[in-house]
């Protein structure tokens, strides 16, 4: 079978009546939509359902897609290529490695906060250089360094100042005066690895880093927020399904959706992740790699029982690695 959706339909015919193992061979499985398990996919204690890497296999489950691009020189080490109309993405990968959006200050792997910050990130003289910053983002630490917040840039006001919305990831706090940066600004594309997608002209601009040859490079972009969901209820939970030995990659960033306040906390959450458990029992994730995901990697939401996360590698994620949040963990504003 060529797709996980087809494998799921085949497995469902036997689920709960005999043990079922779905073997994923090496390769990247680009999901057209989130793979959603329901009670109809459930196994039992004696007849579990297992989705696992084939012996020696290295399967990647992706919430993105591959772009086939015709690159031409733009200027100053920057290349350009036309993209499909309507493409909107917030992450781009070259040969499996996530590349930074055009940003100021430039990406610094040795910088402890945001991989680089600058007090003048949204100074008037810098904003004046930007022709159309709408769609950009401002990231800033909490004034007391209690984490960070993000704002989406809506454009420029008549007086040339920035118009933006956000900061709701933390209750009642502003920007740190020094620890801040901006991204997704075309005029800030000036460093190897940076990219910018002009959605008005459907043009992708990219300054490839050393070692990336655009003639042979694999360029991938992100589409889905969630890759796999366990969707059950307390009355009809999803049961005895295990994910084993898989790499999960290409999940969209969700920091602007992090709006729900937690009980007795200033912090807000987004109820979702690359893998979402919502009404599951006796299910597990074992030996999987969660690679460079944009939001939460694993989110265990509302009613769940005996969920196991074991021997997994979670690296370079955009939010929480593993979060357990029940339905009573929020407050009313």
């Amino acid at each position: 079978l060529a797709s996980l959706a087809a494998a799921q339909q085949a497995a469902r015919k036997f689920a709960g009546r005999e043990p079922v193992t779905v073997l994923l061979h090496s390769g990247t499985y680009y999901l057209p939509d989130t793979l959603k398990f329901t009670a109809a996919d459930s196994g039992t204690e004696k007849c579990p359902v297992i989705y696992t890497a084939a012996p020696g296999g290295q399967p990647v489950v992706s919430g993105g897609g591959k772009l086939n691009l015709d690159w031409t020189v733009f200027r100053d080490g920057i290349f350009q290529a036309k993209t499909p109309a309507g493409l909107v993405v917030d992450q781009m990968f070259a040969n499996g490695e996530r590349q930074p959006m055009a940003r100021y200050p430039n990406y610094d792997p040795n910088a402890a906060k945001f991989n680089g910050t600058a007090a003048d990130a949204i100074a008037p003289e810098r904003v004046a250089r930007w022709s159309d910053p709408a769609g950009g983002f401002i990231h800033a630490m909490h004034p007391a360094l209690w984490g960070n917040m993000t704002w989406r840039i809506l454009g420029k006001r008549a007086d040339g100042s920035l118009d933006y919305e956000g900061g709701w990831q933390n209750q009642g706090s502003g920007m740190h005066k020094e620890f801040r940066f901006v991204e997704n600004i075309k005029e800030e594309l000036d460093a190897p690895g940076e990219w910018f997608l002009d959605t008005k002209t459907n043009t992708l601009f990219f300054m490839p880093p050393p070692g990336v040859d655009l003639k042979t490079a694999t360029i991938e972009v992100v589409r889905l927020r969630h890759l796999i969901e366990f969707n059950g209820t307390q009355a009809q939970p999803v049961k005895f399904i295990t994910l084993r030995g898989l790499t999960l990659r290409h999940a969209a960033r969700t920091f602007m959706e992090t709006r729900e306040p937690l009980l007795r906390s200033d912090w807000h959450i987004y109820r979702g992740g690359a893998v979402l458990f919502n009404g599951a029992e006796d299910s597990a994730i074992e030996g999987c790699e969660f690679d460079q995901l944009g939001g939460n990697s694993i989110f265990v939401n509302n009613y769940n029982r005996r969920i196991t996360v074991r021997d997994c590698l979670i690296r370079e994620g955009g939010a929480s690695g593993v979060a357990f949040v029940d339905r009573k963990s929020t407050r009313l504003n």
Side-chain angles (χ1 to χ4, degrees):
L1 298 171
S3 71
L4 279 171
Q8 178 191 21
Q9 293 304 313
R12 184 175 283 181
K13 298 176 182 178
F14 305 96
R17 293 189 292 275
E18 58 184 275
V20 177
T21 300
V22 177
L23 295 174
L24 281 74
H25 292 271
S26 293
T28 300
Y29 297 82
Y30 296 108
L31 298 175
D33 299 291
T34 301
L35 184 68
K36 298 180 180 181
F37 295 126
T38 69
D41 298 291
S42 292
T44 66
E45 184 175 6
K46 293 183 178 181
C47 299
V49 176
I50 302 173
Y51 286 73
T52 182
Q58 295 181 321
V60 175
V61 179
S62 167
K66 183 179 178 181
L67 296 181
N68 295 313
L69 303 171
D70 184 14
W71 294 100
T72 59
V73 174
F74 179 58
R75 66 164 186 261
D76 302 325
I78 302 172
F79 290 77
Q80 62 181 354
K82 287 296 182 180
T83 61
L87 182 68
V88 178
V89 299
D90 70 350
Q91 294 172 89
M92 190 191 85
F93 289 69
N95 295 336
E97 293 297 321
R98 183 169 52 200
Q99 306 298 307
M101 278 183 166
R103 53 169 284 168
Y104 175 79
N106 293 332
Y107 182 87
D108 178 0
N110 298 314
K113 298 177 179 65
F114 293 130
N115 295 116
T117 60
D120 67 339
I122 55 172
E125 55 272 19
R126 180 162 294 279
V127 172
R129 300 173 54 235
W130 305 339
S131 59
D132 182 11
F137 296 101
I138 308 166
H139 302 271
M141 295 297 294
H142 184 282
L145 300 183
W146 297 341
N148 66 288
M149 288 76 66
T150 300
W151 292 258
R152 179 189 291 111
I153 300 174
L154 302 177
K156 286 186 182 182
R157 301 186 179 95
D159 63 1
S161 63
L162 282 181
D163 185 18
Y164 51 84
E165 64 177 2
W168 45 62
Q169 299 85 359
N170 182 275
Q171 187 74 11
S173 57
M175 300 183 194
H176 195 283
K177 294 181 179 180
E178 179 180 355
F179 300 130
R180 54 177 72 173
F181 81 100
V182 293
E183 66 172 351
N184 204 31
I185 305 293
K186 184 176 182 179
E187 287 80 4
E188 300 298 346
L189 202 171
D190 58 2
E194 290 188 347
W195 63 277
F196 177 81
L197 176 61
D198 188 330
T199 56
K200 294 181 178 179
T201 64
N202 301 312
T203 305
L204 178 63
F205 299 90
F206 181 40
M207 183 183 289
V212 173
D213 183 353
L214 292 181
K215 294 179 181 178
T216 58
T218 298
I219 303 298
E220 296 165 303
V221 293
V222 177
R223 297 180 302 102
L224 302 179
R225 293 179 182 176
H226 301 173
L227 277 60
I228 299 174
E229 294 180 356
F230 291 68
N231 290 329
T233 64
Q234 186 169 350
Q236 292 185 306
V238 181
K239 295 183 176 182
F240 292 99
I241 297 179
T242 294
L243 308 177
R244 181 180 295 154
L246 312 178
T247 294
L248 293 96
R249 190 178 291 158
H250 305 143
R253 303 188 298 182
T254 55
F255 48 72
M256 293 306 296
E257 307 303 319
T258 304
R259 305 185 68 154
E260 183 181 346
L262 288 168
L263 182 66
R264 292 186 292 275
S265 171
D266 287 338
W267 293 105
H268 296 180
I269 59 164
Y270 167 73
R271 288 183 182 266
V275 176
L276 171 65
F277 288 97
N278 191 46
E281 295 179 355
D282 301 293
S283 295
I285 303 175
E286 300 176 345
C288 292
E289 180 176 352
F290 293 80
D291 180 33
Q292 306 171 86
L293 299 168
N296 301 316
S297 293
I298 302 168
F299 200 95
V300 185
N301 182 59
N302 290 327
Y303 173 84
N304 294 278
R305 294 291 184 271
R306 299 174 298 282
I307 303 301
T308 300
V309 179
R310 179 188 294 120
D311 297 331
C312 293
L313 172 63
I314 301 174
R315 75 179 191 96
E316 299 184 52
S320 296
V322 184
F324 292 81
V325 183
D326 73 15
R327 57 192 159 209
K328 299 180 181 179
S329 291
T330 58
R331 70 180 180 210
L332 297 176
N333 285 333

